[in-house]
């Protein structure tokens, strides 16, 4: 069982892991503890080609000083050679006696570190503060599991499920608190995606802004999906990052974005694009901002998502329901489609 010192060390490891850049490689933190629980060294991964967190921590001790220590790491030590050597072998060579980690490495080539450590006689404990580590690594874990970036689809709608009034106007269905929440969530993404229909109709800037209009420190790169040209005078042309455009193959787009190190994709709209992501099963999180207004008409927030019978309904697991002024945000994740032969419980 993990000790109090190991719990404290894991919390610190999670904190320093976030110092590292988010990209192709995971954010990882590591601490080395003496047998009586004293922190001897800490390290984190600073990006591709740099020492991994465990090696970074080991480098801060004199040769031989790590013998008999405990390594506390947010991710299972890797067991492969890439630009750097296997962390499992580095820990074994240093004489580390115990390794405590939070989340197992899901990689086909990098996993197996725990097995290698145990083979070498190292005591290994897994799963310490796993939920917290999974939250930190959520997008990276999605990339490893699915081979594509983590995709969030957001839309705002009236209580009767409309995204716009009959004349097409949609600004603003929701109030200031909901809009501020959207901008905060935009700032946590790597790219923000919009379809050409919404781009031409609404001319969005696709920036992440504070309530006073100032740009937030991190700006997701703008991505436009569709074949129609982006006007030279479009607001997105003035975005701090260069706009990228893809013709419409969503899977190919996600593959290309992954190759560029993108982990978190924020799909801003409109209804046709959101429906396409849902129909193709490329959504990991749904954000639905619901305003207490009625619009009527046929401007639905979601269109054809491939459902023709109730058995095909795309059911969601609701993670949270958040009041935002007069509006409500539903945060949910799509369930796996149920086999119609299984029926309902």
């Amino acid at each position: 069982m993990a000790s109090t010192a190991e719990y404290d060390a894991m919390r610190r490891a999670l904190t320093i892991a976030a110092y590292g850049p988010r990209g192709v490689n995971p954010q990882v933190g590591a601490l080395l503890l003496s047998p009586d629980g004293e922190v001897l060294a800490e390290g984190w991964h600073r990006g591709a080609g740099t020492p991994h967190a465990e090696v970074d921590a080991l480098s801060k001790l004199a040769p031989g000083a790590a013998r008999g220590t405990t390594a506390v790491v947010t991710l299972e030590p890797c067991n492969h050679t890439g630009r750097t050597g296997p962390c499992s072998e580095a820990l074994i060579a240093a004489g580390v006696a115990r390794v405590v980690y939070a989340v197992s490495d899901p990689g086909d080539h990098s996993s197996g570190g725990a097995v290698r450590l145990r083979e070498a006689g190292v005591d290994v404990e897994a799963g310490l503060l796993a939920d917290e580590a999974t939250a930190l690594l959520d997008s990276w874990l999605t990339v490893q599991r699915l081979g594509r970036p983590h995709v969030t689809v957001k839309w705002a709608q009236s209580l009767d499920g409309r995204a716009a009034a009959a004349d097409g106007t949609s600004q603003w269905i929701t109030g200031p608190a909901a809009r501020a929440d959207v901008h905060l969530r935009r700032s946590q993404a790597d790219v923000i995606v919009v379809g050409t229909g919404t781009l031409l109709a609404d001319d969005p800037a696709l920036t992440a802004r504070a309530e006073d209009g100032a740009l937030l420190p991190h700006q997701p790169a703008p991505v436009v999906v569709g074949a129609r040209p982006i006007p030279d005078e479009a607001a997105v042309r003035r975005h701090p990052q260069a706009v990228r455009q893809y013709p419409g193959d969503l899977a190919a787009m996600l593959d290309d974005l992954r190759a560029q190190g993108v982990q978190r994709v924020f799909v801003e709209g409109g209804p046709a694009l959101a429906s396409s992501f849902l129909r193709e099963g490329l959504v990991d999180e749904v954000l639905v901002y619901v305003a207490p207004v009625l619009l009527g008409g046929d401007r639905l927030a979601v269109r054809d998502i491939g459902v023709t019978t109730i058995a095909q309904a795309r059911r969601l697991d609701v993670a949270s329901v958040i009041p935002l002024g007069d509006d409500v945000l539903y945060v949910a994740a799509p369930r796996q489609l149920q086999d119609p032969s299984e029926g309902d419980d």
Side-chain angles (χ1 to χ4, degrees), residues 217-268:
H218 174 71
Q219 291 295 316
V223 171
V224 177
V225 178
R228 285 180 286 180
I230 303 171
D232 291 340
E233 66 275 14
V236 74
R237 295 286 192 191
R238 299 187 292 277
H239 195 284
Q241 298 201 49
V243 62
R244 312 176 213 179
Q245 186 169 14
Y246 294 88
D249 185 331
L250 300 183
M253 178 189 74
L254 293 176
D255 285 344
D256 187 67
L257 292 174
R258 179 197 181 192
Q260 297 176 48
V262 169
Q263 288 191 22
R264 299 194 69 89
V265 172
F266 192 91
V267 180
E268 182 73 19

Side-chain angles (χ1 to χ4, degrees), residues 1-344:
M1 295 291 293
S3 66
T4 300
E6 289 168 349
Y7 270 97
D8 291 342
M10 184 64 78
R11 293 187 185 95
R12 173 60 182 169
L14 288 165
T15 297
I16 63 176
Y19 295 167
R22 198 170 64 204
V24 175
N25 294 315
Q27 295 170 295
V28 182
L31 272 71
L32 294 172
L33 306 181
S34 69
D36 61 2
E38 177 189 358
V39 176
L40 300 177
E42 61 181 35
W44 66 90
H45 185 48
R46 291 169 172 79
T50 65
H52 288 188
E54 302 93 321
V55 175
D56 185 40
L58 287 169
S59 71
K60 296 170 182 175
L61 296 182
R67 188 163 300 280
T69 60
T70 294
V72 178
V73 194
T74 55
L75 181 66
E76 176 187 6
C78 68
N79 194 44
H80 81 300
T81 300
R83 296 188 188 182
T84 60
C87 293
S88 55
E89 297 296 345
L91 293 169
I92 292 167
V96 170
R98 175 171 161 82
V99 172
V100 179
Y101 67 88
V103 178
S104 296
D105 190 327
D108 292 336
H109 303 293
S110 54
S111 61
V115 172
R116 177 69 189 99
L117 288 163
R118 290 188 178 104
E119 289 174 347
V122 178
D123 180 36
V124 178
E125 180 170 341
L128 183 63
L129 299 185
D131 289 346
E132 291 87 338
T134 297
L136 173 69
L137 293 170
D138 181 43
S139 56
W140 181 82
L141 290 169
T142 298
V143 172
Q144 303 310 304
R145 187 176 73 253
L146 300 179
R148 62 162 175 77
H150 181 281
V151 175
T152 294
V153 171
K154 163 262 172 184
W155 67 82
Q157 67 173 57
S158 62
L159 199 59
D160 55 347
R162 270 58 182 178
D167 64 355
T169 56
S170 61
Q171 297 179 335
W172 299 98
I173 290 177
T174 55
R179 296 198 295 274
D181 186 81
V182 169
H183 281 278
L184 177 62
R185 293 174 188 271
R186 282 184 182 184
S187 72
Q188 296 166 352
D190 299 316
V191 299
I192 181 169
V193 183
V194 70
T196 51
T198 296
L199 181 84
L200 296 173
D202 296 342
D203 193 27
L206 299 185
T207 51
R209 303 182 297 277
E211 292 187 46
D212 62 1
L215 295 181
L216 294 173
H218 174 71
Q219 291 295 316
V223 171
V224 177
V225 178
R228 285 180 286 180
I230 303 171
D232 291 340
E233 66 275 14
V236 74
R237 295 286 192 191
R238 299 187 292 277
H239 195 284
Q241 298 201 49
V243 62
R244 312 176 213 179
Q245 186 169 14
Y246 294 88
D249 185 331
L250 300 183
M253 178 189 74
L254 293 176
D255 285 344
D256 187 67
L257 292 174
R258 179 197 181 192
Q260 297 176 48
V262 169
Q263 288 191 22
R264 299 194 69 89
V265 172
F266 192 91
V267 180
E268 182 73 19
L273 184 62
S275 301
S276 294
F277 271 95
L278 288 165
R279 186 171 58 250
E280 296 185 28
L282 298 173
V283 179
D284 305 296
E285 181 182 55
V286 174
L287 304 176
V288 184
Y289 295 83
V290 182
V293 298
L294 301 174
L295 295 175
D298 59 0
R299 302 269 184 170
L300 295 174
V302 177
R303 299 175 184 172
D304 177 19
I305 59 172
V307 173
T308 58
T309 71
I310 194 65
Q312 296 174 329
R314 303 297 179 95
R315 300 190 183 276
L316 308 176
D317 290 317
V318 177
S320 56
V321 180
I322 305 171
L324 296 167
D326 291 333
D327 307 316
V328 176
L329 167 62
Y330 287 85
V331 182
R335 293 182 193 172
Q336 295 293 323
L337 282 177
Q338 183 182 20
D339 185 337
S341 65
E342 296 177 3
D344 294 328

